[in-house]
Amino acid sequence: MDRSARPRTFQRGGIARALASAALLVPALVGIAAERAAATPYVYVADQGSLETVTLDGRGIGGAIGGFDTPFGLALDGQHLYWGTEAGYIGRSDVGFGGLQAFAHSGGLSHGTAVNGRYVYWTNTDAGTIGRANLDGSGVDQSFMQTGGAPYSLAVDGQHIYWTDPTANAVGRANLDGTGQQPTFIPAYGPKGLAVDGDHIYWGNPGSISLGRANIDGTGVNQGFVSVAGQVDGVAVDLGHVYWVNNTGSSSSSTLGRVNIDGSSPNLNWIVYLTAPSGVAVSVPVATSSASRLDFGTQPATTFGVAHPVTITNSGQNVLAIRSVAVDGAGTDDFLVSRDTCAGATVQPGASCVVALRYGPQATGASGATLTIASNDVANGPLAIPLSGSGGALPQGPAGQDGRDGATGPAGPTGPAGADGATGPAGPAGADGATGP
């Protein structure tokens, strides 16, 4: 593919210097018109001081902006693209390359970034730390994690943060709050680029010129998942493919590679004529819910109330694959999924599906559970929507009318004769009668 024919929109000189010295969250330095709809899925590539896009069919390349210090470790959420630099700041733009910002100052050379629904993370390779900031750029903590090594690339899912450490020949892992560090979670060969999906971890092995893969729990390590053609400074993954940069040090042979998610049909030259690629990211799906929680109020015990719908929307720029819909928790039996168009569905960007629930408490008193929706929105993890309600007594109806008098029953049988009574006492003697003549 002839890169010279691609449309470019380079920034004027001095952007890198301006960004490097800008205050945190400076206003947008330059307004860059987006060349595409925000919902269009793209692969984003960092290549020798510029950021560019590639359509998922590999046919269209464009939307480039340049004038940067070398960008590393691209990361995407539903609205923004993030990258680290050698100049000590984290860059950010919207997905159309507008709103260019020096988002946060890093602690020096930063090779990797990652983002979820709460924080943006970056590596401070020389300092051996991982930094973190809120999504509005506040709360910068350069030493959020002390790794004890030289962290390079980053990835994050709903439970863990992962990093590569070429000096330790390992992929590390920790809880999202920085606890439970496992610096040598997975052995590797000088690993650099890194990506995760709901099932696997992927990393570049410069030492063996390969792409490695393991199960998300660290088992099933395969150091030779795919053979590559250069240094892998960046890896990205979506529903169907794994992408990586082959940095050979030569503009005639550096490329962007792609392989099917199962490792079949590797294409080391998916995009050719890159100069010095240093990062790759792919548009992500983002699952959002119309309700942060559902309270069903009081419902008479052993009866079901009306259905309460929850709309799940794909607010990202790539296909959202919903793996499962489940109700879990102590009150699971009290909540019935009465309608589900989400489980197993693939939801296009901007589209939605619906889950409806009815509350039928089995006993009186409060109960609760959680509606969990798992998908390939890996960075943010499963949607978890608390459910609550209370079982009440059955209502008392009004008293019924008195019934009519029934018919007179037949006469009963004659009872037995009574016993003779006792003889009474003798009466007094009568008076003598008069003497006749």
Side-chain angles (χ1 to χ4, degrees):
M1 183 174 292
D2 183 5
R3 283 168 53 90
S4 65
R6 291 183 295 174
R8 291 175 176 266
T9 311
F10 284 100
Q11 298 301 313
R12 295 181 178 179
I15 292 295
R17 292 187 298 275
L19 280 172
S21 61
L24 183 63
L25 283 176
V26 296
L29 300 176
V30 181
I32 305 167
E35 298 182 7
R36 50 190 152 61
T40 303
Y42 277 83
V43 179
Y44 294 74
V45 183
D47 186 20
Q48 201 180 38
S50 68
L51 299 172
E52 307 174 11
T53 58
V54 182
T55 57
L56 292 188
D57 60 9
R59 295 179 180 177
I61 306 178
I65 55 175
F68 294 100
D69 296 299
T70 301
F72 290 99
L74 305 185
L76 278 161
D77 60 16
Q79 297 178 317
H80 297 100
L81 175 69
Y82 303 82
W83 61 91
T85 70
E86 295 176 328
Y89 68 90
I90 304 302
R92 185 177 83 166
S93 73
D94 64 36
V95 294
F97 291 146
L100 193 63
Q101 296 176 325
F103 177 71
H105 293 294
S106 64
L109 176 62
S110 181
H111 283 116
T113 61
V115 63
N116 58 18
R118 296 188 62 188
Y119 300 106
V120 58
Y121 307 84
W122 60 87
T123 57
N124 295 312
T125 304
D126 292 340
T129 67
I130 294 173
R132 186 181 78 172
N134 298 322
L135 290 183
D136 63 359
S138 65
V140 173
D141 184 354
Q142 299 293 357
S143 300
F144 163 65
M145 282 180 54
Q146 295 278 353
T147 69
Y152 197 93
S153 295
L154 277 181
V156 65
D157 63 18
Q159 294 181 302
H160 297 101
I161 185 167
Y162 308 82
W163 66 94
T164 58
D165 188 336
T167 64
N169 289 313
V171 176
R173 187 181 79 165
N175 298 327
L176 285 178
D177 62 1
T179 63
Q181 287 192 34
Q182 298 171 271
T184 56
F185 179 57
I186 297 172
Y189 301 114
K192 291 195 172 179
L194 183 67
V196 298
D197 62 18
D199 300 311
H200 296 100
I201 307 167
Y202 307 85
W203 63 92
N205 278 319
S208 60
I209 317 179
S210 66
L211 196 68
R213 188 181 80 165
N215 296 327
I216 200 69
D217 63 0
T219 62
V221 175
N222 180 359
Q223 301 289 358
F225 177 61
V226 178
S227 294
V228 299
Q231 179 166 296
V232 180
D233 281 328
V235 181
V237 60
D238 65 10
L239 189 60
H241 299 95
V242 183
Y243 309 83
W244 71 94
V245 294
N246 294 300
N247 188 350
T248 65
S250 169
S251 59
S252 63
S253 57
S254 292
T255 66
L256 179 64
R258 189 180 79 166
V259 66
N260 292 338
I261 200 75
D262 63 359
S264 64
S265 302
N267 184 351
L268 275 63
N269 299 308
W270 186 59
I271 297 296
V272 297
Y273 300 121
L274 298 179
T275 303
S278 54
V280 62
V282 64
S283 295
V284 295
V286 178
T288 57
S289 171
S290 61
S292 59
R293 64 178 302 114
L294 284 179
D295 186 353
F296 291 80
T298 300
Q299 176 69 25
T302 70
T303 69
F304 277 99
V306 300
H308 286 57
V310 179
T311 300
I312 307 303
T313 300
N314 181 0
S315 301
Q317 303 90 34
N318 213 330
V319 176
L320 176 69
I322 299 181
R323 295 186 173 97
S324 63
V325 173
V327 176
D328 302 298
T332 297
D333 293 340
D334 291 347
F335 299 89
L336 170 70
V337 176
S338 60
R339 181 187 176 200
D340 178 9
T341 65
C342 292
T346 52
V347 184
Q348 297 297 318
S352 302
C353 60
V354 175
V355 177
L357 299 102
R358 298 176 66 191
Y359 181 51
Q362 303 302 296
T364 58
S367 63
T370 301
L371 173 64
T372 302
I373 299 173
S375 72
N376 63 328
D377 178 3
V378 177
N380 299 302
L383 280 174
I385 303 167
L387 310 174
S388 60
S390 183
L394 289 171
Q396 295 295 319
Q401 294 180 347
D402 292 340
R404 293 178 299 172
D405 291 341
T408 302
T414 302
D420 291 341
T423 301
D432 290 339
T435 303

